Amino acid sequence: MIKADKPQPFSANCPSREILELIGGKWSLLILCLLKAGPQRTGSIMRSVQGISQKMLTQTLRDLERSGIVTRKSYSEVPPRVEYSLTPLGETLSVLVLPFEQWVVDNYEQVIVAQARFDALHTEDSKNQDA
Amino acid sequence: MIKADKPQPFSANCPSREILELIGGKWSLLILCLLKAGPQRTGSIMRSVQGISQKMLTQTLRDLERSGIVTRKSYSEVPPRVEYSLTPLGETLSVLVLPFEQWVVDNYEQVIVAQARFDALHTEDSKNQDA
DNA sequence: CTGCATCCTTTTCGATACTG
DNA sequence: CAGTATCGAAAAGGATGCAG
């Protein structure tokens, strides 16, 4: 019989992995933040989230919709109008982002300094003048 | 003169983008959580975080170290021993993860249900039996 | 306007081999 | 044990064209 490793909260099948991928996407959190302000049309989101392509926008929104985070409301009009908004579940998730946003505001500079310092230490130029 | 779009908090040069990439990585948050428990050796982390490769582990740790989130302590021994731990800055970040972890615990099932429901609606098999 | 499919480039990641 | 370098596979992402 196989002696399994002790099960741990970081196992490959841990649910957090999937959620992590869901909100860990490059754009998910950004869109989530944006939708906190209220329903938005596709084009509006695209203009707001600079640098996102239409493909990624649709893909990310679909993913969020699939997971019950956002709702897609399509109006049968011409020209077509589609509005995305947070579901109640999405709202509970979006509020968690607030402290994180604040953390970025509070500590961004510190991170930049740390990065610059690290880069300097690991640059060849600096190893001749350590005194 | 060019009429620029109104500046928004989602601009491409927003600092949150970098931080998002930093902690949005597939493994960053996992390692962050793990280190909350205290300093860990490289091999130990690798065994805990199932599925991570040595390359990704080193890479992620380096990134976190560079940004001042974790500390790398190397003991000059044979065989080599390296321990990683959270910096004070890293600790402030790691506590933000707690509500998120709780959210996953509380809402994971709901997400799964939503996904299953979405998939069912978008599967060809189900469009013949909508009644 | 919105969204999907296709092609193609860039990036990411894992496996392997090797150094200290 | 810890870390780096290299290679090739795989995935992500952007651009374009087309459909509803």
PDB file of all heavy atoms in Angstrom, chain A residues 72-88:
ATOM      1  N   ARG A  72     -24.308  39.082 -16.958  1.00  0.00           N
ATOM      2  CA  ARG A  72     -24.337  39.656 -18.296  1.00  0.00           C
ATOM      3  C   ARG A  72     -25.774  39.891 -18.707  1.00  0.00           C
ATOM      4  O   ARG A  72     -26.575  38.956 -18.776  1.00  0.00           O
ATOM      5  CB  ARG A  72     -23.664  38.699 -19.286  1.00  0.00           C
ATOM      6  CG  ARG A  72     -23.648  39.185 -20.709  1.00  0.00           C
ATOM      7  CD  ARG A  72     -22.962  38.159 -21.609  1.00  0.00           C
ATOM      8  NE  ARG A  72     -22.816  38.639 -22.969  1.00  0.00           N
ATOM      9  CZ  ARG A  72     -23.765  38.534 -23.900  1.00  0.00           C
ATOM     10  NH1 ARG A  72     -24.913  37.977 -23.613  1.00  0.00           N
ATOM     11  NH2 ARG A  72     -23.553  38.993 -25.113  1.00  0.00           N
ATOM     12  N   LYS A  73     -26.085  41.153 -18.945  1.00  0.00           N
ATOM     13  CA  LYS A  73     -27.448  41.497 -19.329  1.00  0.00           C
ATOM     14  C   LYS A  73     -27.445  42.025 -20.749  1.00  0.00           C
ATOM     15  O   LYS A  73     -26.854  43.072 -21.035  1.00  0.00           O
ATOM     16  CB  LYS A  73     -27.988  42.568 -18.364  1.00  0.00           C
ATOM     17  CG  LYS A  73     -29.319  43.171 -18.746  1.00  0.00           C
ATOM     18  CD  LYS A  73     -30.473  42.289 -18.316  1.00  0.00           C
ATOM     19  CE  LYS A  73     -31.806  42.990 -18.617  1.00  0.00           C
ATOM     20  NZ  LYS A  73     -32.817  42.034 -19.095  1.00  0.00           N
ATOM     21  N   SER A  74     -28.073  41.275 -21.634  1.00  0.00           N
ATOM     22  CA  SER A  74     -28.071  41.653 -23.037  1.00  0.00           C
ATOM     23  C   SER A  74     -29.428  42.223 -23.441  1.00  0.00           C
ATOM     24  O   SER A  74     -30.457  41.574 -23.270  1.00  0.00           O
ATOM     25  CB  SER A  74     -27.732  40.438 -23.888  1.00  0.00           C
ATOM     26  OG  SER A  74     -27.821  40.768 -25.254  1.00  0.00           O
ATOM     27  N   TYR A  75     -29.443  43.429 -23.967  1.00  0.00           N
ATOM     28  CA  TYR A  75     -30.679  44.049 -24.425  1.00  0.00           C
ATOM     29  C   TYR A  75     -30.847  43.788 -25.910  1.00  0.00           C
ATOM     30  O   TYR A  75     -29.909  43.978 -26.692  1.00  0.00           O
ATOM     31  CB  TYR A  75     -30.643  45.549 -24.165  1.00  0.00           C
ATOM     32  CG  TYR A  75     -30.510  45.894 -22.698  1.00  0.00           C
ATOM     33  CD1 TYR A  75     -29.265  45.977 -22.098  1.00  0.00           C
ATOM     34  CD2 TYR A  75     -31.638  46.134 -21.921  1.00  0.00           C
ATOM     35  CE1 TYR A  75     -29.136  46.292 -20.763  1.00  0.00           C
ATOM     36  CE2 TYR A  75     -31.529  46.454 -20.577  1.00  0.00           C
ATOM     37  CZ  TYR A  75     -30.264  46.530 -20.003  1.00  0.00           C
ATOM     38  OH  TYR A  75     -30.150  46.831 -18.682  1.00  0.00           O
ATOM     39  N   SER A  76     -32.019  43.355 -26.279  1.00  0.00           N
ATOM     40  CA  SER A  76     -32.269  43.050 -27.691  1.00  0.00           C
ATOM     41  C   SER A  76     -32.571  44.329 -28.450  1.00  0.00           C
ATOM     42  O   SER A  76     -33.720  44.630 -28.777  1.00  0.00           O
ATOM     43  CB  SER A  76     -33.426  42.060 -27.812  1.00  0.00           C
ATOM     44  OG  SER A  76     -33.091  40.841 -27.185  1.00  0.00           O
ATOM     45  N   GLU A  77     -31.555  45.068 -28.690  1.00  0.00           N
ATOM     46  CA  GLU A  77     -31.710  46.327 -29.397  1.00  0.00           C
ATOM     47  C   GLU A  77     -30.781  46.347 -30.601  1.00  0.00           C
ATOM     48  O   GLU A  77     -29.924  45.488 -30.766  1.00  0.00           O
ATOM     49  CB  GLU A  77     -31.328  47.508 -28.486  1.00  0.00           C
ATOM     50  CG  GLU A  77     -32.133  47.588 -27.201  1.00  0.00           C
ATOM     51  CD  GLU A  77     -31.616  48.680 -26.294  1.00  0.00           C
ATOM     52  OE1 GLU A  77     -30.607  49.332 -26.647  1.00  0.00           O
ATOM     53  OE2 GLU A  77     -32.216  48.891 -25.238  1.00  0.00           O
ATOM     54  N   VAL A  78     -30.982  47.376 -31.388  1.00  0.00           N
ATOM     55  CA  VAL A  78     -30.048  47.630 -32.479  1.00  0.00           C
ATOM     56  C   VAL A  78     -29.619  49.090 -32.391  1.00  0.00           C
ATOM     57  O   VAL A  78     -30.439  49.987 -32.471  1.00  0.00           O
ATOM     58  CB  VAL A  78     -30.687  47.353 -33.855  1.00  0.00           C
ATOM     59  CG1 VAL A  78     -29.720  47.765 -34.960  1.00  0.00           C
ATOM     60  CG2 VAL A  78     -31.086  45.900 -33.986  1.00  0.00           C
ATOM     61  N   PRO A  79     -28.329  49.344 -32.192  1.00  0.00           N
ATOM     62  CA  PRO A  79     -27.262  48.335 -32.082  1.00  0.00           C
ATOM     63  C   PRO A  79     -27.310  47.639 -30.730  1.00  0.00           C
ATOM     64  O   PRO A  79     -27.908  48.162 -29.787  1.00  0.00           O
ATOM     65  CB  PRO A  79     -25.994  49.176 -32.224  1.00  0.00           C
ATOM     66  CG  PRO A  79     -26.371  50.531 -31.708  1.00  0.00           C
ATOM     67  CD  PRO A  79     -27.817  50.711 -32.054  1.00  0.00           C
ATOM     68  N   PRO A  80     -26.699  46.474 -30.658  1.00  0.00           N
ATOM     69  CA  PRO A  80     -26.748  45.662 -29.437  1.00  0.00           C
ATOM     70  C   PRO A  80     -26.179  46.410 -28.236  1.00  0.00           C
ATOM     71  O   PRO A  80     -25.253  47.198 -28.358  1.00  0.00           O
ATOM     72  CB  PRO A  80     -25.860  44.463 -29.779  1.00  0.00           C
ATOM     73  CG  PRO A  80     -25.818  44.414 -31.231  1.00  0.00           C
ATOM     74  CD  PRO A  80     -25.924  45.821 -31.704  1.00  0.00           C
ATOM     75  N   ARG A  81     -26.760  46.147 -27.089  1.00  0.00           N
ATOM     76  CA  ARG A  81     -26.227  46.729 -25.864  1.00  0.00           C
ATOM     77  C   ARG A  81     -26.095  45.633 -24.819  1.00  0.00           C
ATOM     78  O   ARG A  81     -27.035  44.857 -24.605  1.00  0.00           O
ATOM     79  CB  ARG A  81     -27.160  47.830 -25.357  1.00  0.00           C
ATOM     80  CG  ARG A  81     -26.684  48.488 -24.082  1.00  0.00           C
ATOM     81  CD  ARG A  81     -27.347  49.837 -23.887  1.00  0.00           C
ATOM     82  NE  ARG A  81     -28.793  49.701 -23.770  1.00  0.00           N
ATOM     83  CZ  ARG A  81     -29.442  49.812 -22.593  1.00  0.00           C
ATOM     84  NH1 ARG A  81     -28.772  50.033 -21.505  1.00  0.00           N
ATOM     85  NH2 ARG A  81     -30.742  49.688 -22.558  1.00  0.00           N
ATOM     86  N   VAL A  82     -24.943  45.558 -24.222  1.00  0.00           N
ATOM     87  CA  VAL A  82     -24.679  44.543 -23.205  1.00  0.00           C
ATOM     88  C   VAL A  82     -24.128  45.219 -21.962  1.00  0.00           C
ATOM     89  O   VAL A  82     -23.214  46.033 -22.052  1.00  0.00           O
ATOM     90  CB  VAL A  82     -23.672  43.488 -23.700  1.00  0.00           C
ATOM     91  CG1 VAL A  82     -23.344  42.488 -22.603  1.00  0.00           C
ATOM     92  CG2 VAL A  82     -24.231  42.775 -24.928  1.00  0.00           C
ATOM     93  N   GLU A  83     -24.710  44.884 -20.841  1.00  0.00           N
ATOM     94  CA  GLU A  83     -24.243  45.472 -19.593  1.00  0.00           C
ATOM     95  C   GLU A  83     -23.786  44.393 -18.625  1.00  0.00           C
ATOM     96  O   GLU A  83     -24.455  43.365 -18.445  1.00  0.00           O
ATOM     97  CB  GLU A  83     -25.351  46.311 -18.936  1.00  0.00           C
ATOM     98  CG  GLU A  83     -25.428  47.725 -19.479  1.00  0.00           C
ATOM     99  CD  GLU A  83     -26.420  48.560 -18.709  1.00  0.00           C
ATOM    100  OE1 GLU A  83     -27.052  48.029 -17.778  1.00  0.00           O
ATOM    101  OE2 GLU A  83     -26.567  49.746 -19.026  1.00  0.00           O
ATOM    102  N   TYR A  84     -22.655  44.659 -17.990  1.00  0.00           N
ATOM    103  CA  TYR A  84     -22.142  43.732 -16.989  1.00  0.00           C
ATOM    104  C   TYR A  84     -22.229  44.379 -15.610  1.00  0.00           C
ATOM    105  O   TYR A  84     -21.996  45.570 -15.452  1.00  0.00           O
ATOM    106  CB  TYR A  84     -20.691  43.383 -17.292  1.00  0.00           C
ATOM    107  CG  TYR A  84     -20.524  42.524 -18.519  1.00  0.00           C
ATOM    108  CD1 TYR A  84     -20.309  43.093 -19.764  1.00  0.00           C
ATOM    109  CD2 TYR A  84     -20.595  41.143 -18.428  1.00  0.00           C
ATOM    110  CE1 TYR A  84     -20.163  42.308 -20.903  1.00  0.00           C
ATOM    111  CE2 TYR A  84     -20.443  40.351 -19.550  1.00  0.00           C
ATOM    112  CZ  TYR A  84     -20.231  40.941 -20.781  1.00  0.00           C
ATOM    113  OH  TYR A  84     -20.094  40.152 -21.899  1.00  0.00           O
ATOM    114  N   SER A  85     -22.574  43.564 -14.639  1.00  0.00           N
ATOM    115  CA  SER A  85     -22.635  44.069 -13.267  1.00  0.00           C
ATOM    116  C   SER A  85     -22.265  42.961 -12.298  1.00  0.00           C
ATOM    117  O   SER A  85     -22.232  41.786 -12.661  1.00  0.00           O
ATOM    118  CB  SER A  85     -24.036  44.595 -12.960  1.00  0.00           C
ATOM    119  OG  SER A  85     -24.986  43.581 -13.222  1.00  0.00           O
ATOM    120  N   LEU A  86     -21.977  43.345 -11.091  1.00  0.00           N
ATOM    121  CA  LEU A  86     -21.613  42.357 -10.085  1.00  0.00           C
ATOM    122  C   LEU A  86     -22.850  41.630  -9.574  1.00  0.00           C
ATOM    123  O   LEU A  86     -23.902  42.228  -9.388  1.00  0.00           O
ATOM    124  CB  LEU A  86     -20.914  43.034  -8.907  1.00  0.00           C
ATOM    125  CG  LEU A  86     -19.537  43.632  -9.160  1.00  0.00           C
ATOM    126  CD1 LEU A  86     -19.006  44.281  -7.888  1.00  0.00           C
ATOM    127  CD2 LEU A  86     -18.576  42.566  -9.642  1.00  0.00           C
ATOM    128  N   THR A  87     -22.703  40.346  -9.356  1.00  0.00           N
ATOM    129  CA  THR A  87     -23.746  39.596  -8.661  1.00  0.00           C
ATOM    130  C   THR A  87     -23.560  39.836  -7.158  1.00  0.00           C
ATOM    131  O   THR A  87     -22.545  40.375  -6.737  1.00  0.00           O
ATOM    132  CB  THR A  87     -23.600  38.091  -8.938  1.00  0.00           C
ATOM    133  OG1 THR A  87     -22.354  37.656  -8.388  1.00  0.00           O
ATOM    134  CG2 THR A  87     -23.641  37.806 -10.425  1.00  0.00           C
ATOM    135  N   PRO A  88     -24.538  39.437  -6.371  1.00  0.00           N
ATOM    136  CA  PRO A  88     -24.347  39.527  -4.909  1.00  0.00           C
ATOM    137  C   PRO A  88     -23.063  38.828  -4.478  1.00  0.00           C
ATOM    138  O   PRO A  88     -22.321  39.351  -3.632  1.00  0.00           O
ATOM    139  CB  PRO A  88     -25.580  38.800  -4.360  1.00  0.00           C
ATOM    140  CG  PRO A  88     -26.638  39.038  -5.385  1.00  0.00           C
ATOM    141  CD  PRO A  88     -25.925  39.035  -6.711  1.00  0.00           C
TER     142      PRO A  88
END
